[in-house]
Amino acid sequence: MNNSTTGMANERDMFSAEIVNRGIESTGPNAGSLTFSVRVRRRLPDFLQSVNLKYVKLGYHYLINHGIYLFTIPLLVVVFSAEVGSLSKEDLWKKLWEDARYDLATVLASFGSSFSPCPFTSCQGHVPFISLILHALNPKMMNSSLIKVTREQLMEAARKSGKFDEESLEFQKRMLMSSGIGDETYIPKAVMGGNPNTATMKEGRAEASMVMFGALDELFEKTRVRPKDVGVLVVNCSIFNPTPSLSAMIINHYKMRGNILSYNLGGMGCSAGIIGVDLAKDILQANPNNYAVVVSTEMVAFNWYQGKDRSMLIPNCFFRMGCSALLLSNRRRDYSRSKYRLEHIVRTHKGADDRSFRCVYQEEDEQKLKGLKISKDLIEIGGDALKTNITTLGPLVLPFSEQLLFFGTLVWRHLFGSKSDGNSPSMKKPYIPDYKLAFEHFCVHAASKTILDELQRNLELSDKNMEASRMTLHRFGNTSSSSIWYELAYMEAKESVRRGDRVWQLAFGSGFKCNSVVWRAMRRVTKPTRNPWLDCINRYPASLN
């Protein structure tokens, strides 16, 4: 009885009463009587007296995501403990074994129905289930020895073109040899054939047809989905944007249906593949029981620079041919055959800053030759965009322990950082959360060896975590927005993706943008029958010089 009285008193302490309305009843049987209204509120901790509200964001997010566990489990424990405490040892034994209320199967079934997430919804506001059935790359291009070139062959073609002086040739050679790119990448025939003008609409359409139709042919063949079944089409290509658009080229080639929702994204850089997935996700949410295809590519020949500006020669050294095609679905019948479930997309745009806006910039040089200019501040700007992106992504994916460590270190540096002595530089260094606890696989955009080195150092990733990115850069070069899919194809060829594994794809792009997408494997992914790595996967991982 005393315990019950104490519990009621403690419960009353958790609430506060407030009179919000006073008056006199004007009509009815109680006319002339005093009336008042009482509002009862649950008291909340006074966060403002302890820590600034902006530092509570991580805890708030965790509370929202795990509130059902934090509130329900303690309640069940209290109720169970109270019930057990009121029983004698004999009565307790009898109830456990004879009373259906304590039947183990009933308890487990109850917990399963209460806490298991619905397989056709995600954890973000009951978003309709969206899965990735298959991603396909270009087997026709990979099997063509006519466009596969070594670094020496590429330099010889540049020399024979007569467009570059000795200083420009030497600069490109140094960049190539230190780029991390190997000798099996793909360059359009127009470039290797010494064509004096590769930036023509004819050459651009020819290259687009080769890479896009090859990837889509594989996609439709392996998924057994007819082109007319596709309700949403998103195509992204940064540099080459003809009229009619690339999406119109695909619709015309495959004779897709007339009410298809098609979109063509241009000028969005190497992170546009994730933007395409984000757009397809939003459209699928508004159009249930549908398929969406996302095509990510870049036209190399159309942007091949033939001048002397070194900042514009850099893309010549890194960008190579490539294309990916993805099939997304929100159809319940596709749940069992899907490879990955879409978990999170986080997009960061730094275009409001002038330095970020101009760090990757297409313009003409002094000789009026068009090219893509790469700023020397790219790594610094990319690091700032990455910091913003992972700060937003962290609370969505990191375990609570890592969020707590990050929060504690932030508070410590804020309160005591200025008082720490010079012998403790670690106190001034921000805590980098261990993202290896949040993801099993990493697909970091294979831009260049220097950028991958910097990302690995800043995120404190292992060589194994970066293996797919480095091997993709070595085998295929920088294929722009499709590179993260060549990296995932590498993991699948290695049969390293298992059910429940989380995959983080991270890409950067002009603007300046940094985008992340998180997938969860819905089953163990076995080695595919068609994959651009199959003819060389036994040679990887390779030792890189």
Side-chain angles (χ1 to χ4, degrees):
M1 191 69 178
N2 292 336
N3 291 339
S4 177
T5 304
T6 304
M8 292 176 63
N10 291 338
E11 186 174 352
R12 285 197 301 269
D13 291 340
M14 297 174 62
F15 295 89
S16 64
E18 176 188 0
I19 297 176
V20 296
N21 187 26
R22 297 176 186 268
I24 299 176
E25 189 72 26
S26 59
T27 60
N30 297 320
S33 301
L34 293 175
T35 62
F36 61 91
S37 300
V38 179
R39 177 184 296 159
V40 179
R41 294 181 176 177
R42 180 179 292 273
R43 289 193 178 123
L44 296 176
D46 189 358
F47 292 116
L48 290 175
Q49 298 300 322
S50 57
V51 65
N52 195 298
L53 275 176
K54 68 179 180 180
Y55 297 130
V56 187
K57 290 190 297 184
L58 299 183
Y60 173 77
H61 178 84
Y62 183 83
L63 182 65
I64 294 299
N65 278 356
H66 302 84
I68 188 172
Y69 302 100
L70 294 175
F71 290 104
T72 307
I73 293 178
L75 180 61
L76 291 175
V77 171
V78 169
V79 172
F80 183 75
S81 300
E83 182 71 17
V84 171
S86 65
L87 297 174
S88 64
K89 186 179 295 185
E90 292 77 10
D91 292 338
L92 176 62
W93 182 262
K94 181 180 179 180
K95 280 185 174 292
L96 285 174
W97 289 99
E98 296 179 5
D99 199 321
R101 287 179 299 171
Y102 292 95
D103 181 75
L104 179 61
T106 304
V107 173
L108 291 177
S110 175
F111 269 80
S113 62
S114 298
F115 300 126
S116 296
C118 176
F120 295 103
T121 60
S122 77
C123 60
Q124 298 184 67
H126 304 288
V127 176
F129 168 81
I130 295 176
S131 68
L132 170 65
I133 296 180
L134 182 73
H135 72 277
L137 303 164
N138 197 325
K140 293 181 180 178
M141 182 185 73
M142 306 308 164
N143 295 330
S144 175
S145 59
L146 297 178
I147 55 177
K148 184 186 291 187
V149 298
T150 65
R151 289 171 292 182
E152 287 74 13
Q153 288 174 334
L154 182 59
M155 287 307 305
E156 183 63 23
R159 187 179 300 276
K160 287 182 178 180
S161 69
K163 299 293 183 179
F164 307 104
D165 56 23
E166 285 300 320
E167 291 184 358
S168 299
L169 289 170
E170 184 61 28
F171 173 77
Q172 291 182 81
K173 183 177 181 179
R174 289 199 311 270
M175 293 292 294
L176 272 174
M177 295 307 169
S178 62
S179 63
I181 295 176
D183 292 325
E184 294 183 283
T185 58
Y186 300 93
I187 293 290
K189 294 179 181 179
V191 173
M192 297 306 297
N195 190 333
N197 186 11
T198 59
T200 64
M201 300 303 293
K202 180 179 179 180
E203 293 292 349
R205 286 195 175 96
E207 184 180 346
S209 299
M210 173 185 288
V211 296
M212 292 194 310
F213 298 157
L216 287 167
D217 286 346
E218 178 187 355
L219 184 74
F220 293 134
E221 177 184 343
K222 293 187 69 173
T223 60
R224 300 184 300 279
V225 172
R226 300 177 305 167
K228 287 186 178 295
D229 294 334
V230 176
V232 181
L233 174 64
V234 180
V235 181
N236 69 267
C237 180
S238 186
I239 299 298
F240 182 59
N241 291 285
T243 299
S245 64
L246 295 177
S247 61
M249 286 176 59
I250 293 174
I251 293 171
N252 175 263
H253 181 80
Y254 291 99
K255 309 304 177 186
M256 292 179 162
R257 66 196 199 195
N259 64 343
I260 189 171
L261 302 175
S262 66
Y263 302 86
N264 203 91
L265 306 179
M268 305 198 77
C270 301
S271 66
I274 297 178
I275 298 173
V277 172
D278 192 24
L279 176 59
K281 177 203 72 173
D282 291 341
I283 301 170
L284 285 176
Q285 288 177 0
N287 295 271
N289 198 36
N290 225 321
Y291 286 121
V293 169
V294 180
V295 179
S296 300
T297 188
E298 193 58 75
M299 301 304 111
V300 176
F302 195 77
N303 196 53
W304 196 260
Y305 177 67
Q306 298 178 335
K308 301 177 181 179
D309 190 320
R310 293 193 174 186
S311 62
M312 293 183 173
L313 287 170
I314 294 176
N316 288 7
C317 304
F318 290 97
F319 284 103
R320 298 293 185 270
M321 294 177 69
C323 181
S324 64
L326 326 176
L327 181 63
L328 301 173
S329 172
N330 60 358
R331 295 155 48 112
R332 291 175 181 264
R333 70 186 70 176
D334 292 323
Y335 180 82
S336 59
R337 69 167 182 154
S338 298
K339 282 187 176 182
Y340 305 95
R341 181 179 66 197
L342 180 60
E343 296 270 313
H344 306 288
I345 294 180
V346 175
R347 293 168 56 181
T348 301
H349 205 302
K350 293 289 185 177
D353 177 69
D354 290 341
R355 288 177 66 241
S356 299
F357 176 72
R358 296 188 65 90
C359 71
V360 180
Y361 201 81
Q362 188 180 23
E363 61 181 355
E364 292 81 17
D365 64 7
E366 295 179 352
Q367 284 74 41
K368 304 301 180 182
L369 296 173
K370 183 177 62 177
L372 195 65
K373 192 169 189 175
I374 308 297
S375 169
K376 61 182 180 181
D377 300 325
L378 177 62
I379 293 181
E380 177 188 348
I381 292 169
D384 181 60
L386 173 66
K387 181 175 66 175
T388 303
N389 187 266
I390 64 175
T391 300
T392 308
L393 178 67
L396 300 174
V397 297
L398 287 170
F400 182 66
S401 58
E402 282 298 300
Q403 297 189 42
L404 190 61
L405 281 173
F406 177 77
F407 170 73
T409 306
L410 188 67
V411 173
W412 179 270
R413 291 176 63 245
H414 178 72
L415 296 178
F416 307 107
S418 60
K419 300 178 182 179
S420 59
D421 55 25
N423 297 326
S424 302
S426 60
M427 291 298 179
K428 298 182 179 181
K429 182 180 179 181
Y431 176 72
I432 303 297
D434 187 359
Y435 282 90
K436 296 185 291 294
L437 298 175
F439 306 109
E440 285 73 34
H441 306 284
F442 297 80
C443 298
V444 181
H445 171 48
S448 70
K449 180 179 181 299
T450 303
I451 291 178
L452 292 180
D453 290 344
E454 194 69 17
L455 285 170
Q456 180 177 5
R457 182 180 64 83
N458 279 283
L459 294 177
E460 299 180 355
L461 301 178
S462 66
D463 290 339
K464 185 67 176 177
N465 298 143
M466 300 295 292
E467 180 180 310
S469 299
R470 294 191 187 281
M471 297 307 108
T472 296
L473 180 64
H474 181 267
R475 173 64 180 83
F476 297 104
N478 182 347
T479 59
S480 189
S481 56
S482 64
S483 69
I484 54 178
W485 297 103
Y486 284 90
E487 294 163 18
L488 187 57
Y490 176 87
M491 297 172 184
E492 293 182 352
K494 286 289 186 180
E495 297 187 272
S496 60
V497 181
R498 292 171 172 79
R499 178 180 177 142
D501 284 359
R502 295 154 298 181
V503 181
W504 180 20
Q505 292 181 311
L506 175 68
F508 304 88
S510 57
F512 189 83
K513 298 179 287 290
C514 178
N515 298 324
S516 293
V517 60
V518 178
W519 305 90
R520 185 177 292 271
M522 301 177 65
R523 55 184 170 86
R524 183 176 180 270
V525 182
T526 58
K527 182 179 291 188
T529 56
R530 298 177 69 177
N531 184 295
W533 292 93
L534 292 184
D535 64 339
C536 61
I537 192 63
N538 294 331
R539 305 200 307 266
Y540 288 93
S543 58
L544 307 179
N545 297 327

